[in-house]
Amino acid sequence: MSTEQYTYQYPHPAVATDCVVFGFDGRELKVLLIERGIDPFKGMWAFPGGFMRMDETAEECILRELKEETGLQLTTIKQLGTFTGINRDPRERVISIAFYSLSPDTEVHGGDDATNARWWPIDDIPQLAFDHDYILRQAMKRIRQDIHFEPVGFGLLREEFTMAELQRLYESILGIHFDRRNFYKKMLQTGILHEVSETDSPSYYGKRREMVSMDIDNLFADHAATDNGIPRLFMAQSLPDCDMDDETPSLHSSPRQQPGRKGKLFRFDKEGYDRMKEEGNFRLEF
Amino acid sequence: MSTEQYTYQYPHPAVATDCVVFGFDGRELKVLLIERGIDPFKGMWAFPGGFMRMDETAEECILRELKEETGLQLTTIKQLGTFTGINRDPRERVISIAFYSLSPDTEVHGGDDATNARWWPIDDIPQLAFDHDYILRQAMKRIRQDIHFEPVGFGLLREEFTMAELQRLYESILGIHFDRRNFYKKMLQTGILHEVSETDSPSYYGKRREMVSMDIDNLFADHAATDNGIPRLFMAQSLPDCDMDDETPSLHSSPRQQPGRKGKLFRFDKEGYDRMKEEGNFRLEF
DNA sequence: ACAAAAGTGTTTGGGATACACCCATGC
DNA sequence: GCATGGGTGTATCCCAAACACTTTTGT
């Protein structure tokens, strides 16, 4: 396999893919990064990704690279944008088709060109290779926008989750604080949550009374772009008073609540969501 | 200029750009298409676009191609997505970075590889080359989504416009009908419209009492993605009763109102829009 | 048993919706 | 002067926001 094998009449840029994978551990939003094992930017952190082959689409490419470099087997990704800065890669002209994705906070490991892979808190990202810090900012904007129209967040949670976890997730993504009781009501009245009874729950850990959980699967991809053309407003924010809970004495430190969680568990109710979509009167607004 | 000049160690796809340009003539939504003058798909209609050069970004490329092929000099475009189907071009592997844009309904003419260029009503699109019908559907979804967060539509109108024109534009894009009076109120109370007095108006044609108009310029690009991260909800739809106007006897045929238009003229109030953005309490919902 | 957090109310005020009237223009 | 469409006001109703109390869980 010598060099200089592929020739074209006109110059072609190389085409790569990158993916911003968001995760959530119940407390804060995280991003999956790999430590580059090869130059350029060897030793620096970057998003998983790699060069596209001629027999795969960009989507197939990034899913393959994700598996190779981090062990993560995702199925649902969403295009974020394509970055075509002329000098974004020192080797040659490389354009990057960037995706983003939501993942439960699972184990990852380095592999292939990545010497290491780990989750980084969104507030503590190291310096990134290429133009990846710019891409990350774009991804943050995007997820905050998408969450208004789609039950985006559920992809970040385990199948069963408490209302508190769901609320913290929304607060993490949007960067605002909701009234616990109103959040509870709003979420329930959307009809997209399914309360899990104790016996239903397969992964029941602890001895709570009841549990609620969610179905999701690849809901994210299904509704990435709404199919009737008119997107549903899933959740809008209006920056209310953002007060602390009334009775809460004061708790300005970072929120606690470790995995030893309390409360009902919920599932995402895919059927309920589809039903709401049909009727067209689906709206959640904070 | 012989063939086979550029060689690479690994195969590279060709990278092209395409742009879905929306226009509005006061009655219906249109799309700018070119008739292809060269193979493949010679004689068929397609979006303006072309191959990216090595010294230009995708954005620069599509703006150049737009000018070459249609004479249109736009400044504000927005990425729609990148299409990477393996056989979407019969010549070789070509991926397309697609954009969309909003343009006042101006004169266009064919040029370069385009034998012809014209506006097509959104409801009467000819068969399109490549995967451009798919791209068009994606663009429609996208504009309908974006209109909720940004004053997107104004880019499609002349600098000064009547409230009726604005309403028809929104109705065209969203595909629903609004109550004239409520639309009027909603739009005014957003604070993004500026009523133009008769004397203010530079392009005052007719002898109406007053006029309102808009400032816009390249507002579209400015707020394509909100910069504080949290997007403002510009306009949400909730599919109300969609009744005909009460006193209107019945008018189920297509809406009339030729350019000989009546009523106050408005401008987009950029300062007002920025102010609303600052305060964060900006919301328009139908 | 105590603290902390979860579950579930009620009230209220603002805004979206529905609806009517007057006026201006044009044939 | 009659028809068409534009400008503006009002009442209602719904829902989001604000707020409090009880129950459950963990130690």
Side-chain angles (χ1 to χ4, degrees), chain A residues 4-8 12 53-56 58 79 82 84 86 92-93 149 174 230 237 283 285, chain B residues 4-8 12 53-56 58 79 82 84 86 92-93 149 174 230 237 283 285:
Chain A
E4 315 290 314
Q5 280 186 319
Y6 300 91
T7 62
Y8 303 92
H12 287 24
R53 298 177 182 165
M54 298 304 270
D55 60 350
E56 67 186 1
Q79 256 199 46
T82 299
T84 62
I86 292 170
E92 63 175 319
R93 180 85 194 270
F149 292 91
L174 291 173
I230 300 185
Q237 101 297 354
R283 181 168 42 184
E285 192 166 331
Chain B
E4 315 291 314
Q5 282 183 320
Y6 300 91
T7 62
Y8 303 92
H12 287 27
R53 297 178 182 163
M54 298 304 270
D55 60 351
E56 66 186 0
Q79 255 199 47
T82 299
T84 62
I86 292 170
E92 63 174 318
R93 179 86 193 270
F149 292 91
L174 292 173
I230 299 184
Q237 101 297 354
R283 181 168 42 184
E285 192 167 331

Side-chain angles (χ1 to χ4, degrees), chain A residues 195-219:
Chain A
E195 192 169 321
V196 181
S197 71
E198 197 162 335
T199 52
D200 286 353
S201 172
S203 63
Y204 177 65
Y205 54 100
K207 345 92 210 287
R208 274 96 221 169
R209 295 178 306 142
E210 312 171 65
M211 324 190 87
V212 202
S213 63
M214 116 183 143
D215 221 2
I216 198 145
D217 214 343
N218 60 355
L219 151 104

Side-chain angles (χ1 to χ4, degrees), chain B residues 21-26 30-32 70-74 102-109 117-120 155-159:
Chain B
V21 184
F22 289 104
F24 185 69
D25 64 357
K30 299 185 173 185
V31 175
L32 178 59
T70 72
L72 206 59
Q73 291 211 44
L74 298 178
L102 308 174
S103 163
D105 192 13
T106 56
E107 279 301 310
V108 293
H109 57 264
R118 57 162 280 205
W119 295 100
W120 290 78
L156 289 160
L157 295 169
R158 280 163 287 190
E159 196 179 4

